[in-house]
């Protein structure tokens, strides 16, 4: 039985269609539950994910971002997942520089057959983000919105 948690985090998961997206689908077929906080965005390969897209997600209300690509050595575009990992590490550095927890962005690798691992990764990541609390960027946005509405 899969553990569930109550959380109101907003997490965007950029998933490669060849692996993590299919693994998420498999998790659904197997009726493995993972937190509804995860919003999946399908990519042709994680190597296509631009640094700005991750920052854009964080800037527009996401508390965290998962990037999930094929197992190392199995990327259909050879080095896309390696490039993605390098980008994720750079994004973590950027977040640290501006005072935001780098743990809010994480790279995962899995195959399409790893539905259970996808569900577990989604759950563990959501627990981590729930413990961190809402993104400071989201709080900032809320304050700005409230100030404008007054
Ligand atoms: Fe899956 Fe590149 S094709 S990460």
């Amino acid at each position: 039985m899969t553990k569930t948690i109550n959380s109101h985090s907003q997490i965007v998961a950029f998933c490669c269609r060849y692996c993590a997206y299919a693994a998420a689908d498999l998790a659904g077929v197997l009726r493995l539950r993972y937190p509804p906080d995860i919003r999946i965005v399908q990519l042709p390969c994680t190597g296509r994910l631009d640094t700005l897209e991750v920052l854009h997600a964080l800037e527009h209300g996401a508390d965290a971002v998962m990037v999930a690509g094929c197992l190392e050595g199995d990327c259909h575009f050879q080095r896309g997942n390696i490039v993605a990992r390098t980008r994720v590490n750079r994004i973590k550095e950027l977040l640290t520089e501006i005072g935001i927890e780098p743990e809010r962005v994480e790279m995962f690798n899995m195959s399409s057959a790893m539905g259970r691992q996808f569900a577990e990764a989604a759950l563990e990541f959501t627990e981590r983000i729930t413990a961190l609390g809402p993104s400071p960027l989201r709080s900032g946005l809320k304050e700005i919105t409230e100030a404008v509405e007054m």
Side-chain angles (χ1 to χ4, degrees):
M1 188 171 105
T2 308
K3 188 170 80 170
T4 57
I5 59 168
N6 285 327
S7 148
H8 299 291
S9 303
Q10 295 184 25
I11 297 172
V12 176
F14 290 104
C15 295
C16 163
R17 74 169 168 214
Y18 291 105
C19 53
Y21 189 84
D25 207 27
L26 179 60
V29 170
L30 296 174
R31 297 185 185 278
L32 300 170
R33 297 181 60 181
Y34 58 86
D37 313 54
I38 310 271
R39 302 281 186 271
I40 295 179
V41 178
Q42 185 184 165
L43 297 173
C45 170
T46 53
R48 292 287 298 276
L49 181 63
D50 195 77
T51 301
L52 285 177
E53 289 171 299
V54 175
L55 296 176
H56 194 263
L58 293 169
E59 227 176 53
H60 287 82
D63 293 307
V65 172
M66 290 176 74
V67 180
C70 298
L71 294 170
E72 291 196 9
D74 284 347
C75 173
H76 287 57
F77 301 92
Q78 303 199 355
R79 292 185 40 82
N81 51 2
I82 306 294
V83 170
R85 183 169 292 280
T86 303
R87 286 195 181 126
V88 165
N89 289 337
R90 179 67 189 126
I91 292 165
K92 283 173 171 282
E93 289 171 7
L94 288 170
L95 292 179
T96 303
E97 284 173 23
I98 60 171
I100 294 174
E101 304 92 343
E103 297 86 358
R104 292 186 184 276
V105 178
E106 203 62 69
M107 174 89 195
F108 298 86
N109 296 92
M110 60 190 70
S111 76
S112 59
M114 296 170 75
R116 181 171 300 281
Q117 287 84 347
F118 179 88
E120 287 170 1
L123 178 62
E124 285 171 22
F125 192 63
T126 304
E127 286 176 333
R128 180 203 294 184
I129 301 310
T130 301
L132 285 175
S135 164
L137 287 175
R138 178 146 67 112
S139 314
L141 282 174
K142 191 174 171 219
E143 284 168 22
I144 290 167
T145 307
E146 285 169 357
V148 167
E149 288 173 350
M150 287 177 77

